Amino acid sequence: MSRISGVNKPSSGARLSGMTATRQVPAPSAITGTDRLELSDQARLLGILEDEVEQLPVIDMAKVESLREAIQSGKMPIDRELLAKKIQQFESFLQDIDS
């Protein structure tokens, strides 16, 4: 996956050791002293989000379509009461997150 604006995510050791976390970048041999690269809070959060997105499972669209067809044709019965209960639980979970 390509990185946003060419910014690579920080190594796990440099990730979030506080809001002022920095990552040392080796200085060219012609420069004496130490150069430092500081990532903004937004860049660090984007790196974390990218990590989480990369760990999500890939959606198998062929399987989704075959399940959709099985449901529509009646080959896969649906317990509507159980489905409604699960949707309510999910909605309740989302409300708890927003609070």
Side-chain angles (χ1 to χ4, degrees), residues 63-79:
K63 186 173 183 179
V64 169
E65 189 57 35
S66 70
L67 287 171
R68 181 179 290 133
E69 289 173 11
I71 291 169
Q72 288 175 345
S73 68
K75 293 178 184 176
M76 183 176 188
I78 300 297
D79 182 342

